[in-house]
Amino acid sequence: MRTEVNESIGAGRVSAWHPGWITAVASVALCLLGLYTITLAGKIGKVSGESLALRQGIFAGVGVLLAAGICIVNYRRLVHLVWPIALATVGLLLIPVLPGVPESIVTPRNGARRWIDLGPFDLQPAELGKIAYVILTAWYLRYRSNHRKFLGLIGPAVIALVPMVLIVIEPDLGTALLFVPMMLAMLVAAGAKLRHLFVACGLVGVAAVVVTVLSLHFAEEGKYPLLKRHQVVRIQALVEQVKGDTRHVQDRGFQGRQAQTLVGAGGLAGHSEENSRSLVAFSGLPERHNDMIFAVIVNRFGLIGAASVMGLYVLWLFGALGAAWTCKDAFGRLLVVGLTTTVMIQALINMGETMGVLPITGMTLPFVSYGGSSMITGWAMVGLIMSVAMRRPPYLWRKSFEYDSNDGE
C-alpha cells in the first residue's frame, strides 16, 4: 500500500536554483515571439497589430506578476482551498451557459458564449477550469490507490465530466477534449495500470468514431443532432482536404487552406519582414493573430522558425518535468504533470491544425497567441510549477506512489 506523507505547509526546503527556471525562460521567449508576430499579423478589423501587441504585452506583464506572487506562496496551501476553487470555477463556467444572462455580460462570438465581459478584458472561464481541474484531481489522487482498479477510474472521470459538459455547452469542444489527456497523464503519474487506461481509451475512441461518422452522415441531410454545425463543418473541411476535394475551399476550407499556404510559402528560412507582412495581409487568413498565429511565424521564419518554436516548447517541457522529477510530494508532482500536459497538448493541437493534420478547433498557441485569459492562465501555471520546483522535500521524505506488487488487483 502506498505510503502517506506529511502535508504540513511548512515542510520542505526552498531552493533558488531549480528546473522551473527553464520553463520560465522558455515562457518569456514564447511571449516575446508572440508580441512580434502579432504586429506582423497586421490590422485586425479596425485595430492595428501594434495596438493588439501593446495590449498583449500588458496581459503578459500582469501574468508575470501573478506568476511571481503564486510561486512565493507554498503550493501545498492549495490542498486546503480545493473545494472553494472548484466551486468558484463551476460558478464561472455556469455564467456563459445560463439562459437569461444579458449579452452585455456574455457576448456571443461566432455563435459561441465563452467569454465574460470584465471591461478591460474578457475572461474565458474554461481557461481557469483547466487549472482548477488539475488542482482538484491532484488532490483527489494524492493518497488513493483505487484508481489502480478499472472501476476506480470512474472517480477521476466524473471530476473531468463536470467542466467538460459545461464547456461543451458553450460550445467549445476543443477545450473540453483537453481534459481527457490531462486526466490520463495524471493517472499514469499516479500509478494507474496501463491496461486499464488502454481499455478505457479504446471505449472512448470507438464512441468518438461512431459520433463522428454519424455526424457526417446526418450533415448530408442538413441535420446536426450530435455535434454543432460548425464542429461538423471543421471535420468536413479536414476530410475534403485529405481527399483533395476543393469544392468548398472558399468557404469551410478557406481558413485551413490559407494557413497551409502561408506555412508552405515560408520555405526553409522564411521571408523578410516586409514581404511576410504583405503575404500575410494578402492571404486574408482569419484569426491570424490568435488561433492561426503559428502560420504567420512559419511564413516569416520558415522551417527554422517552426523548429525553434517547437524547441522552446521542448525546453518548457524539460523544465516542468524536471520539477516533477525532483518533487517527492504526491500532490505537487501530479499538479506539475497535469499543468504540463495541458500546455503541451494545446501547443501540439494548435500546430497540428495549422498544418492541416488536425481539424481546426479554435485552440490558441500557449504564450504566443493573442488573448488575455490564455496569457494570464499560462503564467499562473508557470507560477505553480515554479512553486513546486523551488520547494524541495525534507531529507527523510518518502517517495510518492509506492504500491505493493499486488495492489489494485
Side-chain angles (χ1 to χ4, degrees), residues 43-116:
K43 190 174 183 180
I44 305 297
K46 297 181 179 180
V47 185
S48 67
E50 288 72 17
S51 296
L52 289 173
L54 177 60
R55 292 190 63 184
Q56 183 76 340
I58 295 173
F59 293 144
V62 172
V64 170
L65 291 176
L66 178 62
I70 289 174
C71 73
I72 291 173
V73 180
N74 194 321
Y75 70 91
R76 297 187 189 100
R77 292 184 182 273
L78 291 174
V79 171
H80 309 290
L81 299 173
V82 165
W83 287 111
I85 291 173
L87 293 175
T89 303
V90 170
L92 289 172
L93 287 171
L94 282 171
I95 293 176
V97 301
L98 286 176
V101 177
E103 292 190 358
S104 59
I105 298 177
V106 179
T107 304
R109 300 178 188 174
N110 299 322
R113 294 169 59 90
R114 303 178 188 173
W115 299 270
I116 300 174

Side-chain angles (χ1 to χ4, degrees), residues 67 83 87 183 187 193 203 206 239 272 277 299 302 319 341 362 374 383 388:
W83 287 111
L87 293 175
M183 175 181 63
L187 283 169
K193 297 191 174 181
L203 295 174
V206 170
V239 172
S272 67
R277 284 183 184 273
N299 182 265
T341 303
S374 176
V388 173

